[in-house]
Amino acid sequence: MKVSMRHSKLVLMVILVVLLASCARIPTSGPVGKSSEGSAGNVSAPVFLPAGPQPGAAPENIIEDFYRAGSGYEDDYAVAREYLTQASSVAWKPDQRALVYRAARVVPTSVANVYNYELDVAYTVDADGIATQSPPGTMENIPATLTQVDGQWRISAIPDGTAIPEETFKVIYGAFPIYFYDPSFTYAVPDVRWFIKNKTVKAMTSALLAGPAPYLRGAVVSAFPSGIKLARESVPVVSGAAQVDLSAKELTEASAEDRLRMQTQLALTFRSQPDVVNVELRANQDLVRVDDNGSVLPPVQNKNVPARQIAVSGKELVRYENNRISPLPDMQTVSALGPRFPAESPVSQTVAFLNESRTTLYSMVPGQPARALTTRSILTHPSFSLHDWVWAAGPGASGGTEIVAYHPAGIAEGAAVPTVTLAPSWLAGWTIKDLRVSREGVRALVISEQNGKTRVQVAGIIRNADGTPRELTSPITLVTDSEPDQGVWVSDTTIAVMKGAPAANVTPELLSLTSGQPQQLAPWPGLVALSAGNGQEEIYGQSAEGIFQRLGNGWSPQLKGPMDPSFPG
C-alpha cells in the first residue's frame, strides 16, 4: 500500500511538472476546459496533447482516436499522422477543412475494413477560415479505410481535413475579421474568418490574398492583385513587425497607392493581434518601400451614423434627438398620407416612409411634396444606403418576392425616379420581413419567412460603377434562438433582431458575425420596433408606453409620443 501511494504521488508530481511546463496545453484524455490566454498573436492559444495509437486498438478506436488527435495541431499534426499508414500520412492535408460536430460515432459499412465516421455537423470551416453553420441534425459521413501494419490497425485512406467536437472548437479556434474595401476604397469591410489561434497571422494573410468570402465576392475589392502569393510559407513577426513576403513581380509592379492600400489592408487585418505593431511588405525577403504622400486616405472602419433619429409624431415626420423632438427641417407636411416607418438618408436630406397600411412607399426631398414610389400589398421598412438609394421589399405583380431600390435625390419634381428591381433566386418562395442596408453600403441584412420558418441572412450588394445596385450575392445565414421579424445594424459586425409583440414580453437578440451564439438582451413588455445607433448602448425599443434605450442589463424610459424612431440609413 505504501509503495502504491508513493508511486501515485510520484505520478502526480510528474503530471504537475508537465502541466506547468506546457502552460496552456490541454490533455485530450479528460474533459475540455478553457485556458487563459496571454499576449495573443501566434503564441497565445491553448494546445492539445493527444495520445498516440494504443497497441491492439480496434479499427473503431483507431478512427475515434485519430480524430481526437486531430485537435493537436502542433508539429503539423504529428500525433494524428501516427494513426495513418506511411503513404496516407504523407498525402493527408489536415488544413483543408474542419468539421465541427455536436455528436459523432463510428459506423461499419458493408465493405470490409471500411467505416464511416458519422457526424452531426455544427460548422464547416474551409481552408480560408470561412465557416458555414448547420442546424442540428445535419449529418455527414467521413469514410475511412483501415489496414494492418505490423499487426496494428492503421488508416490507409481518409479525406483531407479534421473533425473536432464543438466545445474543442470554441477553445482552439477564434473568429477574426480580415478586411477588404468597398469599391471606392473609402470604407473597410470586415470579412470574419475562423482560424486556429496559434496560426493566426499566417492564416489571415493567406485568406486575404485568396480574396473575400463568397457572399462578399463582387461587393468588395482588395488592394492585392489577383495571382499575388506569399513567397514563403510563413509570416514572421519580428520586433512587432509582421514581415509579409510576397511574390516580387506583382508587388513591384503595383503603384505606390496600391502598395499603401495593401499595407493598410494588412494592418487593419492584424489589428486583433497584439504582437503585431506594424506591417512590412517584402519581395523575396527584400524590404519594399511604401510611401505615403497623402493621396490615399485611410479607410473608415465601423462607420458611425449621426446621433439623430427620424420619427413620426402627430402624423408628421419629426427629428428625435437628445430625448427631444423638433420639426424636420425644410420638409412639407405629410399628415394626410398617414406616415409610418420613416427613414432618412445618411448623405442627404432625402427621407422615405410608408403609409399606415404599409402598402405605399413615399420619398421626399426639401422643397418638393412627397411622391409615391411604389404600391404593393405589403412593404418592408425603407432603408437608405450611402449611395442615396432607398431600399424596400414586397411582392411583385406575380406575387413573387422582389427587392426594389429607388434614387429620388436630385430628381426634379415630376421626373421619373431611377429604380432597380431585384429578385434573387435564394428568396424564391420566401417573404421578406425586413431589409436593412449596412452602414458602409456593401451588405444587406435580410430577414425572411417561409411556412413559419425564419432566416436571418447577410448578402453582399453588387453595384455598377455609378453605384446603381445590380444584384445581391448568395448570403450567409446567422443562427438565432428566436423567429425575428425585424433587425437593425448595431455595428459593422453586430445586428439586433427581435419579433415584435404588443401584448407580450419581447427578448431582443444580438447576432454577431464573430460568434455563433446569439446574445439575449433583457426582455421588455410590448416592444414593437427597434432602432440602433453606434454600439450596443445605443439600442432603442418602442412600445405603447414610449421609447426605451438599452441601459446595462435593462431598459431606460425615454420620451413618450414619437413613433417608429430610426437612425439615418
Side-chain angles (χ1 to χ4, degrees):
M1 178 65 71
K2 291 181 179 179
V3 173
S4 297
M5 290 179 64
R6 287 196 194 101
H7 178 72
S8 298
K9 290 179 179 179
L10 179 60
V11 170
L12 287 173
M13 289 178 65
V14 170
I15 292 173
L16 181 60
V17 169
V18 170
L19 288 176
L20 289 173
S22 60
C23 293
R25 295 169 183 262
I26 301 176
T28 58
S29 57
V32 174
K34 290 186 178 179
S35 171
S36 61
E37 297 186 8
S39 60
N42 287 330
V43 294
S44 67
V47 297
F48 281 69
L49 299 174
Q54 298 300 305
E60 292 88 347
N61 298 123
I62 290 293
I63 295 170
E64 289 176 343
D65 292 346
F66 163 73
Y67 279 112
R68 287 196 186 100
S71 300
Y73 49 81
E74 287 200 318
D75 300 324
D76 193 23
Y77 299 82
V79 175
R81 293 183 192 277
E82 295 177 16
Y83 289 85
L84 307 175
T85 63
Q86 184 175 1
S88 60
S89 174
V90 173
W92 180 57
K93 297 179 177 61
D95 292 328
Q96 290 304 296
R97 72 168 182 166
L99 291 176
V100 183
Y101 60 81
R102 302 178 182 91
R105 63 172 185 162
V106 178
V107 180
T109 70
S110 58
V111 181
N113 300 331
V114 177
Y115 299 81
N116 280 327
Y117 198 42
E118 185 181 85
L119 308 175
D120 181 353
V121 178
Y123 308 89
T124 302
V125 183
D126 72 9
D128 292 318
I130 299 172
T132 303
Q133 296 179 334
S134 302
T138 302
M139 309 305 293
E140 181 163 344
N141 287 321
I142 304 176
T145 303
L146 283 87
T147 189
Q148 286 199 331
V149 178
D150 297 330
Q152 303 295 325
W153 288 106
R154 293 293 181 264
I155 299 170
S156 58
I158 197 80
D160 290 332
T162 59
I164 58 177
E166 190 171 11
E167 288 306 312
T168 304
F169 174 77
K170 294 174 183 177
V171 173
I172 64 176
Y173 275 76
F176 301 93
I178 64 176
Y179 282 89
F180 295 92
Y181 296 96
D182 81 300
S184 70
F185 290 96
T186 305
Y187 301 99
V189 183
D191 181 354
V192 176
R193 306 294 180 91
W194 293 81
F195 302 121
I196 293 175
K197 296 173 186 176
N198 263 9
K199 300 182 175 184
T200 315
V201 172
K202 162 60 170 58
M204 281 179 164
T205 307
S206 296
L208 197 63
L209 298 182
Y215 85 101
L216 290 176
R217 207 163 290 155
V220 298
V221 297
S222 176
F224 294 94
S226 177
I228 196 168
K229 297 179 180 178
L230 281 172
R232 52 176 169 165
E233 283 302 308
S234 65
V235 180
V237 179
V238 181
S239 299
Q243 299 179 349
V244 182
D245 195 3
L246 299 166
S247 47
K249 182 177 184 295
E250 289 84 354
L251 183 58
T252 55
E253 289 181 355
S255 67
E257 289 80 7
D258 282 343
R259 283 198 292 270
L260 179 56
R261 287 189 174 121
M262 291 179 202
Q263 188 180 57
T264 301
Q265 197 172 345
L266 285 164
L268 283 171
T269 295
F270 294 153
R271 186 170 287 181
S272 62
Q273 305 302 299
D275 57 337
V276 178
V277 178
N278 63 296
V279 177
E280 295 178 353
L281 296 184
R282 293 173 175 263
N284 291 333
Q285 302 190 32
D286 291 330
L287 185 64
V288 174
R289 184 184 178 95
V290 178
D291 295 316
D292 184 359
N293 59 12
S295 63
V296 176
L297 296 176
V300 176
Q301 185 182 9
N302 195 20
K303 176 176 169 44
N304 284 347
V305 295
R308 65 182 185 272
Q309 299 192 64
I310 188 173
V312 176
S313 180
K315 293 189 176 182
E316 292 289 357
L317 302 180
V318 297
R319 180 151 290 166
Y320 171 50
E321 187 174 8
N322 295 326
N323 213 23
R324 297 178 180 178
I325 59 172
S326 59
L328 204 62
D330 305 321
M331 289 297 184
Q332 299 186 18
T333 180
V334 293
S335 60
L337 300 176
R340 293 295 308 273
F341 312 107
E344 183 178 5
S345 168
V347 294
S348 72
Q349 291 182 273
T350 309
V351 300
F353 57 91
L354 303 179
N355 60 351
E356 183 76 35
S357 59
R358 291 178 56 190
T359 56
T360 301
L361 172 65
Y362 295 91
S363 69
M364 190 164 62
V365 297
Q368 294 183 16
R371 71 172 96 201
L373 298 176
T374 186
T375 297
R376 295 165 185 253
S377 60
I378 191 76
L379 285 160
T380 62
H381 187 301
S383 176
F384 276 94
S385 73
L386 282 172
H387 302 80
D388 243 353
W389 288 83
V390 60
W391 297 66
S398 63
T401 295
E402 291 181 348
I403 295 172
V404 289
Y406 297 86
H407 195 282
I411 305 301
E413 185 176 349
V417 176
T419 180
V420 171
T421 301
L422 307 176
S425 59
W426 50 272
L427 281 169
W430 290 77
T431 299
I432 298 181
K433 310 300 287 185
D434 204 2
L435 184 151
R436 302 294 179 104
V437 179
S438 63
R439 292 160 183 186
E440 82 291 320
V442 164
R443 299 164 293 169
L445 165 66
V446 180
I447 300 177
S448 58
E449 183 268 339
Q450 181 187 68
N451 299 327
K453 179 183 178 182
T454 299
R455 299 185 307 193
V456 179
Q457 298 176 298
V458 177
I461 301 173
I462 300 177
R463 300 178 185 270
N464 296 330
D466 63 357
T468 302
R470 189 170 80 238
E471 62 180 292
L472 295 185
T473 64
S474 295
I476 57 169
T477 301
L478 305 182
V479 172
T480 173
D481 289 334
S482 61
E483 298 288 341
D485 60 6
Q486 57 186 287
V488 290
W489 290 91
V490 179
S491 71
D492 60 355
T493 58
T494 308
I495 294 160
V497 300
M498 75 174 193
K499 185 175 181 65
N505 274 355
V506 176
T507 303
E509 289 180 317
L510 288 179
L511 310 183
S512 174
L513 298 175
T514 62
S515 171
Q517 302 300 320
Q519 175 190 346
Q520 291 191 338
L521 302 184
W524 197 255
L527 290 181
V528 293
L530 275 179
S531 63
N534 301 306
Q536 298 182 19
E537 295 304 317
E538 293 187 14
I539 297 175
Y540 291 78
Q542 179 202 329
S543 75
E545 300 301 315
I547 297 173
F548 300 84
Q549 182 178 0
R550 185 189 182 205
L551 182 63
N553 196 34
W555 297 88
S556 173
Q558 304 293 298
L559 199 61
K560 185 172 183 178
M563 299 187 304
D564 309 327
S566 178
F567 285 88

